[in-house]
Amino acid sequence: MRMRHVLKPFARAVLALSLLGGASAALADSYPDRPIKWVVPFPPGGAMDSIARTLGESMGKQLNTSVIVENRAGAGGNIGAATVARSKPDGYTILIVANGMAVNPALYADLNYDPIKDFAPISLLAVVPNVLVTNPARTGATSVQDVIAKAKAQPNHYTYASAGVGTSIHLAGELFVSMTGVDMLHVPYKGSGPAVADLLGGQVDYMFDSITSAKPHITTGKLRALAVTTTKRSAALPDVPTLQEAGVPGYELMPWFAAFAPAGTPPEVVAKLNDAMRTALAELNVKATLDSIGAESIGSSPDALRDHLAKETEQWKTLVKERNIKIN
């Protein structure tokens, strides 16, 4: 009799799990049956926006639905990320982010979402290397070793611009300063555009800009490319060495883009999204579009993205603390 009382709750639990699994499978079978919203937490026109729109078009064809890009900019990407974190975990609202996702926990004490706990990873998407550039008419630097020698000869004389505190462009500069021991002044701007404008105008000396926005000025000779931040040379600038090749051993900054869904999204739905994204990344026309903005497609499993985010979160927490980087 006592055993029967024990078994009844157990049986109910098993039945509940079975029904839950059946509902999840049924959802995956019918998914998607309406448009998918892809939130871009930055304004239109940047590399992130372009990647989402390019992949979204292919994904829509594969999944027989529309993938609608919605720009929800503000607070370093936190507004859009928080919106998705609070969305229903059904696969109809997803998020594209950059490596700021791994940096923001160290920068914002009042972050209203947890990048690890509040999201279901889908896939790494692409890498857009940053490139160290200078206005040759202002500095005359022809190599990374030139930059280091000049900076050490005149501490706090030279400046480097960024698109804002905590951006990959800023962190690339902080990592360079930390690893080379030079003293250079950081000049933050509200976006890459104003920073590049002042670099071209001779108001600042250096910048770790994204290849997407720097390449046109490199091509015309208005900016000189000295090195890329990734461990491999970029196909967009094959003649430009990596920082490791240029004499900064161990330097690596890989500005990545990735896709997430709200935590609790059924694994079967995540798998469908992952498959659609990776299929899109392998398409020749998608690769050509990404190449045109200096992006290199990668793709990954959800588990690989989860591990990558956790590793990068720890890495940038260390640098933010060491360099005393703060959001003003």
Side-chain angles (χ1 to χ4, degrees):
M1 190 72 173
R2 191 174 297 166
M3 181 62 72
R4 188 180 302 165
H5 286 306
V6 172
L7 288 175
K8 279 185 177 179
F10 176 74
R12 284 197 293 269
V14 170
L15 178 61
L17 286 173
S18 175
L19 292 172
L20 183 63
S24 178
L27 173 63
D29 287 342
S30 62
Y31 176 84
D33 60 9
R34 61 181 188 274
I36 298 167
K37 180 169 67 176
W38 199 343
V39 174
V40 176
F42 288 93
M48 183 184 293
D49 184 72
S50 180
I51 290 169
R53 292 180 189 278
T54 301
L55 294 182
E57 184 176 351
S58 172
M59 290 169 61
K61 292 175 182 176
Q62 294 178 59
L63 298 171
N64 196 31
T65 191
S66 299
V67 177
I68 301 167
V69 171
E70 180 179 298
N71 298 88
R72 295 289 296 270
N78 289 332
I79 291 176
T83 298
V84 176
R86 294 190 296 266
S87 296
K88 188 176 180 180
D90 55 9
Y92 290 99
T93 304
I94 60 176
L95 175 72
I96 183 172
V97 295
N99 51 331
M101 185 80 152
V103 181
N104 286 345
L107 289 176
Y108 294 88
D110 58 348
L111 199 65
N112 57 353
Y113 63 89
D114 186 313
I116 304 293
K117 296 178 181 178
D118 291 342
F119 295 94
I122 302 174
S123 178
L124 280 162
L125 301 174
V127 175
V128 181
N130 285 341
V131 56
L132 174 57
V133 289
T134 188
N135 182 333
R138 178 176 168 86
T139 67
T142 60
S143 69
V144 170
Q145 292 306 312
D146 251 2
V147 176
I148 296 171
K150 288 173 183 288
K152 286 188 173 180
Q154 295 181 279
N156 287 319
H157 172 75
Y158 291 96
T159 56
Y160 68 96
S162 83
V165 175
T167 61
S168 70
I169 293 172
H170 174 213
L171 295 175
E174 293 287 353
L175 187 60
F176 179 78
V177 167
S178 174
M179 294 185 71
T180 59
V182 299
D183 289 317
M184 297 171 67
L185 298 172
H186 172 224
V187 183
Y189 289 80
K190 291 183 177 179
S192 177
V196 172
D198 271 10
L199 183 65
L200 291 168
Q203 280 76 49
V204 288
D205 300 305
Y206 303 103
M207 183 175 176
F208 283 86
D209 197 17
S210 74
I211 284 182
T212 305
S213 63
K215 189 177 178 182
H217 305 298
I218 294 168
T219 301
T220 61
K222 292 179 180 178
L223 294 180
R224 178 177 290 153
L226 302 177
V228 293
T229 61
T230 45
T231 54
K232 295 192 306 181
R233 293 195 181 197
S234 169
L237 296 171
D239 296 329
V240 178
T242 67
L243 273 152
Q244 292 194 31
E245 291 175 325
V248 187
Y251 188 103
E252 177 185 4
L253 187 140
M254 184 180 84
W256 48 266
F257 297 88
F260 290 83
T265 301
E268 298 87 351
V269 171
V270 170
K272 274 194 173 184
L273 289 166
N274 177 275
D275 183 64
M277 289 176 185
R278 294 173 79 170
T279 298
L281 288 166
E283 293 174 357
L284 292 179
N285 62 316
V286 171
K287 282 180 173 288
T289 301
L290 296 185
D291 285 347
S292 71
I293 62 170
E296 302 169 17
S297 61
I298 41 178
S300 75
S301 69
D303 285 344
L305 173 54
R306 180 180 291 104
D307 293 345
H308 182 73
L309 177 62
K311 177 185 173 184
E312 290 246 322
T313 299
E314 286 302 311
Q315 174 187 341
W316 295 120
K317 181 168 68 175
T318 300
L319 184 72
V320 167
K321 183 177 180 181
E322 175 197 323
R323 298 294 303 163
N324 195 29
I325 302 170
K326 297 183 183 296
I327 297 289
N328 296 325

